[in-house]
Amino acid sequence: PAWAYKYVGWLYESGLTKGVSAVLYGSGRNITLKQYALYLARTLMGPGISDDGWTYCASKDEEELWDKSNGFFNRDAAVGLSVRALSLYYSACGNYMTMAQLMIKRGMFTVSDFGSASWDVLPSSYSESEKDGKKNLVRFVADIPVAECAESGLFLAVGSKDSPLKYLHAVRKSDGGAEFFILDPKTLAVSASDVIKTDGGFRDLTYLGSVDGKDYLIENSADSETGITKSASLYCWDGKYLKLVISAPELWKNGIPPVANEDCGGTGGSGVLTGYYGFTQSFTADGTLLIAGYDTLFYITKEGIIKNPYPAGTQILDFDGKVAVSQLEGDKDTLIRCTDALTGKVLDEYSAVNYTGDSGRNTVTNHKFGYFYGEAGLYMLSDGRLKKLSSRPALDLAFVRWGASMSDPIILTRKPGELVSGMNGPGGDMIVIISLDGSEKVLLSNDPPHGIDIAGIFGSDSSVCFYSAQDVGMQHFNKYTYVVLSGSENPSIYVMDYEAGRPETEKGWSVQNPDGYKKAYIDKEQARLNALGYGG
């Protein structure tokens, strides 16, 4: 339309839009997410960016949703991208500040207005800011300080800012312990406080979870001799007072957790107590909290704290609010258990004999979707019971969609005790479908040998795909991607892609044609598989 000429002309002259052709703007067409994201990216980074620059403002998953699955891009989504752009950095014309900072600098709105309007819209971050020799806790949005705590020297408890609570936990070190504060997350105003008395060495608190309106936090202190951070006592905030509920000696039997029990230890992550080797030691589920001490499980419900003994060194794998799945590694075998958190009764127990030689422990190392898997096999947690589905080593787990439903679990496996290289870990050479009744169907065996060390598997629509990874140094890998199709006799393997770990050294690669080297590798690998009888 005529009224838009000067606006479109300015956008075109500024390089922010290029239209749909050299002579046509395309105002009669629906805009796509990818086009609008590119327009925003040019605004932020300058008109000279490549057409791939749209990913600075939107993800490929969002493009898949709006431009492909939905088939349209509406005003709500456009507003969402525009709001997101306020937190992104404006680097055009030699600048480097967030778009919100630029707009405040140009007087388009005030810091106060932005702080109010952005609440519950843009993410906040919290950090200490020093002024006049004092450190104060400040809330930032898009790198703009929008609120400051009047109390100096406060810092947030670990995990507090990521909790679902409508307030923040903060502490300030003091002689003989620390002061505890409840803060409004928007204004950082203090609404309540208390005092923590410790035996010295206090460092911080970690928020673990809430049960029946009570918040549980664990104290982290430094050992007076070694300086090592250790998990100490557990406290409960009931809305008025911070009370000691489990002492450090009861939790850790008078030992520094990493020394007394290598599977327990310091804190890490966000609001989760983790062990010396990264094992999670606290879980929240279904309105309850489970903490794994040195040799006691502390199950916290609205009725109180229930204590049940368990073998020291046990690794808790997961907790659903009622039962805990765990494993205990021994010299000869690994015990995998399902334990009732209320009674401490072991409901299910499986023993996996450890491998000899270089193969290592026979353990479960991963879990997802209620399945637990590793060298010790494949297990499923359902209706409060743990069922063993397969004794085969399960190095990876995948599912594919067959029709309207998901497939049975599909595992990457190999013969027990064999060594097959993967990607930063063990791999396999067989792919097997495991039914929930324990029966199985071999989708890809290694007979005849296919010569592929499989690093991982994944589902793609209705197909099972897998990939290999050859380390070429400095965490760069040459990766082949395959798809396997079952046949009446031998399955067929098709090479889908090849990605060099250092593509710039490959013949046929160029900036203009970064995939130019791939076809030769794909054709050669497919010819090798065809000669082995794995071709289509």
Side-chain angles (χ1 to χ4, degrees), residues 280-291:
T280 302
Q281 298 297 126
S282 71
F283 298 83
T284 54
D286 199 23
T288 66
L289 172 64
L290 184 74
I291 300 175

Side-chain angles (χ1 to χ4, degrees), residues 408-419:
D408 287 331
I410 304 167
I411 64 169
L412 169 64
T413 186
R414 53 167 165 68
K415 292 182 179 179
E418 286 190 352
L419 293 177

Side-chain angles (χ1 to χ4, degrees), residues 78-393:
V79 170
L81 287 187
S82 300
V83 171
R84 179 188 296 172
L86 292 171
S87 295
L88 300 178
Y89 284 93
Y90 175 75
S91 57
C93 306
N95 294 284
Y96 193 75
M97 63 184 76
T98 64
M99 179 58 77
Q101 287 176 313
L102 176 70
M103 296 175 78
I104 288 175
K105 182 179 179 181
R106 294 185 176 180
M108 303 177 74
F109 45 75
T110 66
V111 171
S112 177
D113 290 341
F114 178 69
S116 298
S118 62
W119 181 248
D120 277 343
V121 177
L122 291 172
S124 295
S125 62
Y126 301 87
S127 62
E128 296 175 68
S129 180
E130 188 167 356
K131 183 180 180 182
D132 299 328
K134 295 183 178 181
K135 290 184 177 181
N136 287 65
L137 190 63
V138 177
R139 179 170 76 91
F140 292 87
V141 179
D143 286 359
I144 298 170
V146 295
E148 182 176 330
C149 183
E151 294 281 348
S152 62
L154 273 62
F155 55 93
L156 295 182
V158 177
S160 180
K161 69 181 180 65
D162 298 316
S163 78
L165 302 175
K166 295 182 179 180
Y167 50 85
L168 299 170
H169 308 100
V171 288
R172 177 170 60 196
K173 294 181 183 179
S174 63
D175 294 337
E179 297 171 88
F180 176 78
F181 298 86
I182 296 295
L183 304 180
D184 182 289
K186 182 178 179 181
T187 65
L188 297 184
V190 176
S191 60
S193 63
D194 204 349
V195 175
I196 304 172
K197 294 182 179 180
T198 68
D199 57 1
F202 176 86
R203 285 198 171 173
D204 58 32
L205 290 175
T206 293
Y207 168 71
L208 298 184
S210 298
V211 177
D212 196 31
K214 299 175 182 178
D215 306 336
Y216 290 87
L217 303 100
I218 198 158
E219 170 200 350
N220 306 312
S221 60
D223 182 77
S224 58
E225 295 183 1
T226 65
I228 297 174
T229 299
K230 62 179 182 179
S231 300
S233 305
L234 183 72
Y235 289 84
C236 172
W237 170 254
D238 62 7
K240 291 184 177 180
Y241 303 104
L242 189 68
K243 300 176 181 179
L244 175 67
V245 290
I246 306 176
S247 67
E250 187 177 5
L251 271 171
W252 313 118
K253 303 304 180 189
N254 294 310
I256 301 173
V259 175
N261 176 359
E262 289 183 338
D263 290 350
C264 301
T267 57
S270 178
V272 174
L273 175 64
T274 60
Y276 191 64
Y277 289 118
F279 298 149
T280 302
Q281 298 297 126
S282 71
F283 298 83
T284 54
D286 199 23
T288 66
L289 172 64
L290 184 74
I291 300 175
Y294 174 68
D295 58 5
T296 303
L297 284 178
F298 298 89
Y299 180 43
I300 303 174
T301 71
K302 62 182 180 180
E303 282 77 26
I305 300 178
I306 300 158
K307 306 172 186 179
N308 288 305
Y310 80 118
T314 297
Q315 177 196 356
I316 306 299
L317 299 172
D318 203 5
F319 172 64
D320 69 356
K322 293 182 174 61
V323 300
V325 179
S326 66
Q327 68 179 355
L328 177 63
E329 296 181 44
D331 292 334
K332 296 182 179 180
D333 63 1
T334 296
L335 296 178
I336 299 169
R337 296 187 173 108
C338 177
T339 303
D340 187 304
L342 181 64
T343 64
K345 179 182 178 180
V346 176
L347 302 175
D348 304 289
E349 180 177 282
Y350 303 93
S351 175
V353 178
N354 291 332
Y355 298 133
T356 58
D358 296 330
S359 298
R361 303 287 189 181
N362 200 357
T363 61
V364 173
T365 55
N366 305 284
H367 66 88
K368 55 186 175 183
F369 310 125
Y371 293 89
F372 302 81
Y373 59 99
E375 295 283 352
L378 176 67
Y379 303 78
M380 178 182 69
L381 180 64
S382 178
D383 297 326
R385 301 301 296 266
L386 186 68
K387 181 180 180 181
K388 188 174 186 177
L389 298 181
S390 177
S391 297
R392 289 180 179 270

Side-chain angles (χ1 to χ4, degrees), residues 4-14:
Y5 287 173
K6 62 179 181 180
Y7 302 107
V8 173
W10 182 87
L11 290 171
Y12 181 78
E13 290 297 327
S14 300

